[in-house]
Amino acid sequence: MNLYRLNLNLLPGLKALLDTQSVSLAAKQMHVTQSAMSRTLAQLREALHDPILVRQGNKVFLSEKALALKEDVNRVVTEAGTIFENQQFDPWTTEKNFTIAGSYILLEQYLPDILHQFWKQAPNFNFELLDFSPQLDQKLEAGQVDLVMAYVGKPPAGFSYVPLMEDTLCALISEDHPIGDNNITVEDLEKYAVVRHSSWLGSPHFMRDYLDGLSRNIRVAAKAPSFPVALQLVNDSNRILLTMEKVAEANTYVKNMRMKPLPGKLPKVQYYIVWPEYWEHNRAHRWFREFIINRFRQQLKENDRRNEVLSEVISR
């Protein structure tokens, strides 16, 4: 196929149709009339020899070919836009939309303050914030997420990443728990039901593997993707909450809780900042992600200093 005979103006319309799976929503996204988007769809169907959108009953789905094209189209459109955007990028005037995914704790307790700082220098950037969920893996693979905060484990192929921090497991129990001031043993975990907080992307099985390695007699009473929900399941009870140390240290939801070390060899968990490779050389995305990463690291250091001071005060 001759590249010079292709109508490359159809690519943004194709991306909009693939993203929205709707002619009307794609028209809104492209700021054109619905009839104009219908004409674009007709041209795309002819060029690709594929319906792209398929109706089944009252619902519209992407065809198999459209699904297969989605990742490549996202990459091509983004990289093409980067060529021109990089020549005129100015944080103060650039308008850009990005989607950030992170855990509930990160979105609630870290990101709002960072974005307030960000908008002082780049007021026209817009964000969609997504909590970790089973569907987020699919959105990440489809290129619908532009930055993932605190991805656990090595990211998949096709993504760029930088290490953020290392973490490990710990336990939270009520202040009046029978364990009291003693360290938690394997027997304690077998005796009292466990609640697992499991809100992350990447390697979700390290907590299960840790428990299986300790004993097959540990009962997991509940798995909660939300840390506040997990806390409510153990508050005023003898259940033991397993979560990450950084999450436990950031707890502002339930005050009458004790943080405890766990027995055995604890897994070391590496968190990463992850983004699609096609954003690698885009100046707007690079400026945005470096700002977010640097501010996030600053907040982590400040939290570590506060926790050290608090530990010294308590030990006195």
Side-chain angles (χ1 to χ4, degrees):
M1 184 178 290
N2 189 335
L3 177 64
Y4 297 101
R5 297 181 63 184
L6 292 176
N7 184 359
L8 297 180
N9 291 324
L10 294 174
L11 275 174
L14 176 58
K15 183 181 186 308
L17 288 165
L18 295 178
D19 287 344
T20 63
Q21 300 184 40
S22 163
V23 172
S24 59
L25 292 178
K28 285 184 179 180
Q29 186 172 303
M30 293 289 295
H31 303 289
V32 299
T33 63
Q34 188 165 331
S35 58
M37 184 53 66
S38 295
R39 289 194 295 272
T40 297
L41 176 59
Q43 293 177 67
L44 286 167
R45 283 172 166 169
E46 182 178 355
L48 296 172
H49 306 289
D50 188 81
I52 301 174
L53 298 181
V54 180
R55 182 175 292 278
Q56 295 181 9
N58 295 325
K59 293 185 178 181
V60 175
F61 300 89
L62 295 179
S63 68
E64 288 188 15
K65 178 181 279 191
L67 284 170
L69 285 172
K70 194 168 186 179
E71 186 175 344
D72 287 339
V73 170
N74 274 334
R75 176 179 51 79
V76 170
V77 172
T78 301
E79 289 179 350
T82 291
I83 295 173
F84 299 98
E85 287 178 4
N86 283 353
Q87 308 309 312
Q88 53 190 2
F89 173 69
D90 176 0
W92 187 253
T93 59
T94 295
E95 297 182 11
K96 202 70 179 172
N97 301 314
F98 286 123
T99 300
I100 305 175
S103 67
Y104 184 88
I105 295 293
L106 188 148
L107 297 181
E108 184 189 62
Q109 299 192 22
Y110 289 93
L111 207 53
D113 183 58
I114 293 174
L115 291 184
H116 281 304
Q117 298 175 46
F118 184 93
W119 280 320
K120 291 178 181 177
Q121 299 183 42
N124 298 310
F125 277 58
N126 307 310
F127 300 99
E128 180 179 1
L129 308 182
L130 301 178
D131 194 6
F132 287 168
S133 68
Q135 293 75 33
L136 203 52
D137 271 321
Q138 300 170 9
K139 291 187 176 183
L140 182 62
E141 294 289 345
Q144 297 173 1
V145 178
D146 302 304
L147 195 74
V148 179
M149 306 288 290
Y151 189 100
V152 175
K154 190 175 180 180
F159 293 89
S160 300
Y161 57 90
V162 294
L164 181 63
M165 61 181 178
E166 192 176 73
D167 203 358
T168 191
L169 295 173
C170 72
L172 284 173
I173 60 173
S174 296
E175 279 188 343
D176 57 354
H177 198 285
I179 294 172
D181 295 324
N182 299 323
N183 287 333
I184 295 177
T185 65
V186 175
E187 290 73 22
D188 292 328
L189 293 173
E190 292 175 333
K191 181 178 180 180
Y192 304 106
V194 167
V195 172
R196 280 175 41 184
H197 168 223
S198 54
S199 172
W200 45 73
L201 280 180
S203 302
H205 304 307
F206 62 88
M207 190 178 290
R208 181 201 64 192
D209 295 342
Y210 163 73
L211 290 175
D212 288 347
L214 288 180
S215 170
R216 294 286 181 176
N217 298 319
I218 297 173
R219 174 180 164 237
V220 177
K223 302 173 186 177
S226 164
F227 181 63
V229 170
L231 277 170
Q232 294 301 324
L233 292 174
V234 300
N235 189 34
D236 296 326
S237 78
N238 290 339
R239 286 179 286 275
I240 298 174
L241 171 58
L242 267 61
T243 186
M244 308 306 296
E245 279 191 353
K246 298 293 184 185
V247 173
E249 290 170 354
N251 173 32
T252 60
Y253 302 99
V254 180
K255 293 299 183 182
N256 59 331
M257 303 295 292
R258 291 186 180 188
M259 183 173 163
K260 291 276 191 177
L262 287 164
K265 185 177 180 181
L266 297 175
K268 296 295 182 181
V269 179
Q270 181 69 54
Y271 289 106
Y272 292 90
I273 304 288
V274 179
W275 62 93
E277 281 182 352
Y278 53 73
W279 282 124
E280 185 67 31
H281 302 295
N282 182 279
R283 287 183 63 192
H285 192 280
R286 183 168 67 244
W287 193 91
F288 142 72
R289 69 177 180 259
E290 289 177 354
F291 186 102
I292 299 290
I293 291 168
N294 290 335
R295 293 304 192 280
F296 189 39
R297 284 174 172 163
Q298 287 177 14
Q299 287 198 9
L300 289 174
K301 288 179 180 178
E302 291 171 4
N303 287 349
D304 288 341
R305 283 195 292 269
R306 280 197 298 268
N307 289 328
E308 288 175 6
V309 171
L310 183 60
S311 296
E312 289 176 4
V313 171
I314 293 173
S315 64
R316 291 173 189 169

